[in-house]
Amino acid sequence: QKEVEQDPGPLSVPEGAIVSLNCTYSNSAFQYFMWYRQYSRKGPELLMYTYSSGNKEDGRSTAQVDKSSKYISLFIRDSQPSDSATYLCAGVTGGGNKLTFGTGTQLKVEL
Amino acid sequence: DADVTQTPRNRITKTGKRIMLECSQTKGHDRMYWYRQDPGLGLRLIYYSFDVKDINKGEISDGYSVSRQAQAKFSLSLESAIPNQTALYFCATSKPGTAEAFFGQGTRLTVV
């Protein structure tokens, strides 16, 4: 079993929709949870991260972590075609900086 | 200029050849990483280095070696390339005490 599981998609939504991206994880030692966005032929770029449980909001995006169910979510409101990319979730243990990634979900926002 | 620069961006090589992928950074971070990305498998850690004198194996280090020439430079070598090492390779950096990693643009390696 992979430590971080993520549905690969693709997920297609109309412009303006609310997007929900999700991951589950199995490593109870994860303390930080990250969301990266990766455009085609580019390196991943950090969108946001949360420490432990709870929510974090940044612009149109909200990240949620539920440690009791080992569930990570990223919500994107008012989705735009420029949001079309692959979204990668990752967990990090408190003792180091090694990221363990999910496989990524491909998102397409259509006009 | 990119903060994390990888060279080359694309490379085709033959089975059995030795190849080196290079990474340099201007972020001043101590920690550097090499990942490979494969469809359906995501990003997997090959090697990481927390400072110049510290090198550690990741989850898939077999067939690879690394060298940390300076704080800003971290290279990945394939001593004898094989076709299943065909992948997208990424270098990343971070600073101690934070969880944020910054990635280069990637090197697309094809072994024929």
Side-chain angles (χ1 to χ4, degrees):
Chain A
Q1 180 190 9
K2 288 178 67 69
E3 287 187 278
V4 181
E5 299 275 4
Q6 190 173 8
D7 188 328
L11 174 64
S12 291
V13 300
E15 183 179 8
I18 297 174
V19 174
S20 174
L21 300 164
N22 307 294
C23 293
T24 58
Y25 67 93
S26 58
N27 189 342
S28 299
F30 287 155
Q31 293 192 18
Y32 294 90
F33 301 91
M34 330 287 286
W35 283 98
Y36 282 81
R37 178 179 62 197
Q38 185 177 18
Y39 291 114
S40 182
R41 299 192 182 91
K42 300 287 187 182
E45 55 179 335
L46 181 66
L47 283 178
M48 51 197 307
Y49 71 94
T50 56
Y51 175 71
S52 194
S53 281
N55 295 357
K56 186 173 183 178
E57 191 170 321
D58 184 4
R60 295 185 291 113
S61 300
T62 300
Q64 287 185 352
V65 177
D66 182 345
K67 295 194 85 174
S68 62
S69 60
K70 295 188 172 66
Y71 201 78
I72 314 164
S73 300
L74 178 69
F75 299 98
I76 304 174
R77 294 177 294 281
D78 187 25
S79 56
Q80 303 295 310
S82 59
D83 294 326
S84 298
T86 296
Y87 289 80
L88 301 157
C89 62
V92 187
T93 61
N97 288 150
K98 293 184 295 175
L99 281 75
T100 302
F101 285 90
T103 54
T105 298
Q106 185 182 0
L107 171 67
K108 296 180 181 178
V109 181
E110 298 172 334
L111 292 168
Chain B
D1 288 341
D3 294 321
V4 183
T5 303
Q6 292 182 232
T7 55
R9 292 293 312 278
N10 292 282
R11 181 72 181 267
I12 300 174
T13 192
K14 293 184 177 180
T15 297
K17 292 291 187 181
R18 184 180 189 275
I19 183 170
M20 179 182 289
L21 309 182
E22 297 186 334
C23 177
S24 63
Q25 53 116 343
T26 59
K27 298 191 76 65
H29 291 166
D30 288 324
R31 300 184 173 194
M32 299 187 74
Y33 311 80
W34 276 104
Y35 288 88
R36 67 176 278 177
Q37 187 174 37
D38 300 274
L41 296 177
L43 282 156
R44 293 179 293 165
L45 183 63
I46 306 171
Y47 270 96
Y48 62 101
S49 170
F50 282 179
D51 65 41
V52 175
K53 296 180 181 179
D54 177 78
I55 303 288
N56 303 280
K57 293 182 178 180
E59 59 180 299
I60 54 162
S61 58
D62 287 349
Y64 302 95
S65 62
V66 291
S67 174
R68 184 80 184 268
Q69 299 94 330
Q71 186 210 36
K73 295 185 182 294
F74 192 35
S75 60
L76 176 72
S77 293
L78 287 67
E79 297 300 327
S80 179
I82 57 176
N84 77 359
Q85 291 177 313
T86 293
L88 192 53
Y89 289 84
F90 287 102
C91 174
T93 74
S94 69
K95 57 183 181 180
T98 73
E100 302 173 62
F102 298 86
F103 285 80
Q105 294 297 296
T107 295
R108 184 168 296 280
L109 176 65
T110 303
V111 183
V112 298

